[in-house]
Structure formats: structure tokens, C-alpha cells
Amino acid sequence: MNRRRARAPRLLTVLALVAALVAGAAPWAAAADGKPAVTLSRSQAGTGGSVTVKGTGWGSKALLMLLICGQSSPDRGVIGGTNSCANADGLAVTTTAAGTFSKKLPVAEPPAACPCVVHVATATGQKQQADAAFLVAGHPVKALPKESAGGSLSMVTDTRLEGSSGILTWFGAPPSRKFTFTVGNVGSNAVKNPVFQVGTSHGVFAPQWEEQQWRGTVQPGRKARITLPVELSAGAHGSYLVSLKYDGKVLAEQPWGVGRPWGVTLFWILLCVVVPAAVFRIGMAVVDRIGPRDRHFAQGRHRGAQRLAELTVKLPRLRIPQQDPGKPAPAVPAAPPNGTPTTTTTTLPWFTPDTAPGAPAAGQLSAPPDNSPTTKGNT
């Protein structure tokens, strides 16, 4: 009896150690199974508070996004997509080498009503996500939409983006592809003309959803190959993510790398070179047409004309009498035979013969010259 009583405490101690080991090994078991899990430090909190989020079973050194989303549940996930999450107050965290993390997340009201969850998903690499129920105190609560009891489409396999970019895309035309996927009807009723939502997102931004209807019928238990067009805005380039959603649930995602439109860059470079050169040529042509060809020649000619005008003003003006064409020209007196030169008095045109300088006045006699013979009177 004493030995049995002594063994009882030892047995309890061993069981406690085993239970502790099992509890401690539970997260590692989840990590080994590859199923990510999320736990919260509290189940509800108000705006302005915080909640500590812990995760296990994630990839090594994985980048995760932590969000508080409305109209969601751990079973059905984020029904409205990331548009129903408080994206502005989300946080990013990197897991350890063992695939675990712990992060304090501020509480913010999501744009959609509760039920709410703390949504954790990988930002890069393999797609993984996990949700934990959470209640935002003071936030409105609205019942989740009921699941359809009829036909239900689910993604099967073989999702791809088909098509290629043409020469116009290289010059900034909108890139376009065809999103091809296979769906199967797992419900009991046929699905006729289903309406899908195709969204494109760039970087960490939320996708922009666009509704597209596929014309056809998917019978219960059958599969269908569906192709939907996808187009980006003009000049788009970089890494994009194409998402497919049906009945409020994201079915598939496909990455899309869009090259840079180098033709637009080349066009702007040529524009910056050709336009200034053309303007310069036009300006030079206008200057050659309007301005003088030789400025130094024009300036010298102007100065010579000015000096000639000054000299013309200083000289007196001479008036040459006009000769009557009917009268003969006056004869020039011949020189005397002895060779003695004779002096002829010419009157200037502006003086008359009677008023010429040196002419004797009327009624006056001039003295005879010295060499003239003297006349004597009768003696």
C-alpha cells in the first residue's frame, strides 16, 4: 500500500509533463502540417485599443499583412474582399525562421459591419491566409449573407493569362489579356450565366473589381472552361495581380508582369530634341528674311551718305544759265598775233554786265592805260 501511495504522485507528475509537452508541441505540429494558425490576446476591443496577434505554421521569413475586416467569419473568410478591411490601419510583419510571429495590432473600425475577423495573409510568395474572430466594440453588426442552396461554383485547376502585348502597347496602349480558368459546379442545381468579379491590383493596393457575365450553363457535377477579358489602364507597367471572385468569395489569383512602354519614353526624347531644333531653324530663316545681310556694310553706307549730305549743305549752289538751243554759241576771240594774252572778263551768272565787280559806273570815264598813245591837241 505504501508503494502504491508513493507511485501515485510520481504518475501525476509524469502525466503533467506529458500534457505540457503536448501543449507546447501543438504549434510545431501545426507548422509541420503546413496549416497556418492565428491566435489573439483578446476577443474584443474598442477603437484606439490594440490586440496582440500571434501566428504559427507560416513560411520561414514570410512577409504577412495583418488587417481587421468586416462582414467576415473564420469559416467563410473575408466575403467582401479587402475592400471591407481597414487597410489604412493594417500592419506588416515578417515571420521568424520557424514560421512564427507576434505583433500588436491597433484596433480600427472597418468599412463594413461586423462580424469581424483579424485577417492575416501572405503579401508575397505562396498564398496563405488565416482568420481569427474578433469583435470591434461599438461597431455596427450585420448578419452575413446566406449561402446559396442551389448550384455552387468552385475553382478547379488550370488558371492562366493568355495573350501577348502588341506594338501599340509599347507606345502606351492599354495592356490586355484573357483570364482563362476552369470551374466546377459542386451544387445540386445548374448555374446559368454566372456573374464573376475580376479585379486588378498593383502592389499593396486593393484590387479594383469589375463585374463580367459569362454566357453559358454549368450543369451539376460538370466543369466548364471560362475565358474573361482583362484590361489595364493606358501606360500601366509593373507587377499586377489579377483576382477572380464569385458569390463574394475569391476563387483564384494570377500574377501579371507588365513591361514598361519604352516607345513613350523614346517619343518624349525625340520631341525634346526635334522641337527646339525646328524652332531654331525657323527663327534663323525669319532673321535672314527680315534683317540686313551685312550689318557692317549697311552701317558704312549710312555713314558715307551722311557725310556727303553735310558737304552738300556747306557748298554754295551755282545757277548755270540755260542756253537757248536756237542761238549760236558765242565765238571765242582769237589770240593776237604778237602773242600777248588778252584778258576777258566774265561775269558771274548772278551779276548783270552793268553791275559786275570792276565795271565803270554809267557816266564815268576810266583813265587810259599807261601804254596807250597819248593824243595831243592842235598847237
Side-chain angles (χ1 to χ4, degrees):
M1 295 293 296
N2 294 333
R3 291 181 178 179
R4 293 179 180 177
R5 292 178 180 177
R7 291 176 180 176
R10 295 178 182 178
L11 182 59
L12 294 176
T13 303
V14 172
L15 292 176
L17 291 174
V18 171
L21 291 174
V22 171
W28 299 103
D33 295 340
K35 296 180 180 180
V38 175
T39 58
L40 306 178
S41 61
R42 56 176 68 180
S43 59
Q44 65 176 354
T47 304
S50 61
V51 56
T52 302
V53 184
K54 295 182 179 180
T56 57
W58 301 88
S60 176
K61 302 297 181 179
L63 180 61
L64 308 179
M65 288 294 299
L66 282 65
L67 300 171
I68 297 180
C69 304
Q71 284 293 284
S72 308
S73 67
D75 298 333
R76 301 177 58 181
V78 182
I79 298 176
T82 54
N83 290 334
S84 60
C85 302
N87 298 307
D89 298 300
L91 295 179
V93 63
T94 304
T95 61
T96 62
T100 61
F101 72 90
S102 178
K103 188 73 172 181
K104 182 178 289 187
L105 178 67
V107 178
E109 294 185 359
C114 285
C116 301
V117 297
V118 174
H119 178 70
V120 182
T122 54
T124 58
Q126 184 180 2
K127 184 66 175 180
Q128 290 181 326
Q129 61 183 11
D131 301 320
F134 184 73
L135 178 62
V136 179
H139 193 62
V141 179
K142 182 180 179 181
L144 296 176
K146 295 182 179 180
E147 295 183 351
S148 176
S152 178
L153 298 180
S154 63
M155 182 59 56
V156 181
T157 53
D158 199 11
T159 61
R160 66 180 65 181
L161 287 173
E162 298 179 348
S164 60
S165 300
I167 188 65
L168 295 180
T169 306
W170 201 67
F171 287 94
S176 60
R177 291 290 188 276
K178 292 182 179 180
F179 190 27
T180 305
F181 53 93
T182 302
V183 295
N185 187 355
V186 296
S188 57
N189 298 330
V191 178
K192 184 177 181 180
N193 299 333
V195 178
F196 297 93
Q197 288 182 318
V198 180
T200 55
S201 59
H202 182 58
V204 297
F205 295 98
Q208 302 294 328
W209 299 101
E210 179 183 359
E211 291 187 354
Q212 296 187 16
Q213 187 176 21
W214 179 71
R215 298 291 181 178
T217 303
V218 183
Q219 299 296 333
R222 297 294 183 88
K223 300 178 182 179
R225 188 71 174 170
I226 299 177
T227 300
L228 300 176
V230 182
E231 185 175 292
L232 301 178
S233 59
H237 62 276
S239 298
Y240 285 81
L241 184 66
V242 181
S243 304
L244 178 69
K245 186 166 61 174
Y246 176 75
D247 197 16
K249 185 178 180 180
V250 178
L251 300 180
E253 293 178 340
Q254 187 72 21
W256 183 9
V258 183
R260 183 181 293 273
W262 292 108
V264 179
T265 306
L266 179 61
F267 171 77
W268 284 112
I269 293 176
L270 293 177
L271 187 65
C272 294
V273 173
V274 173
V275 171
V279 172
F280 177 77
R281 293 292 298 273
I282 294 174
M284 293 300 297
V286 172
V287 170
D288 292 342
R289 181 64 64 86
I290 298 178
R293 296 183 178 180
D294 192 351
R295 293 185 177 180
H296 299 286
F297 175 76
Q299 292 178 358
R301 183 175 59 184
H302 178 68
R303 292 175 182 176
Q306 184 176 5
R307 291 179 181 178
L308 182 60
E310 293 177 356
L311 293 176
T312 305
V313 172
K314 292 180 180 180
L315 293 176
R317 297 182 179 181
L318 299 178
R319 294 183 180 178
I320 301 175
Q322 297 294 334
Q323 182 179 0
D324 190 358
K327 296 180 179 182
V332 179
N338 55 2
T340 304
T342 59
T343 59
T344 58
T345 303
T346 60
T347 59
L348 295 177
W350 52 82
F351 292 102
T352 61
D354 296 337
T355 60
Q364 295 182 1
L365 297 177
S366 60
D370 296 335
N371 55 359
S372 61
T374 58
T375 57
K376 295 182 179 182
N378 296 326
T379 55

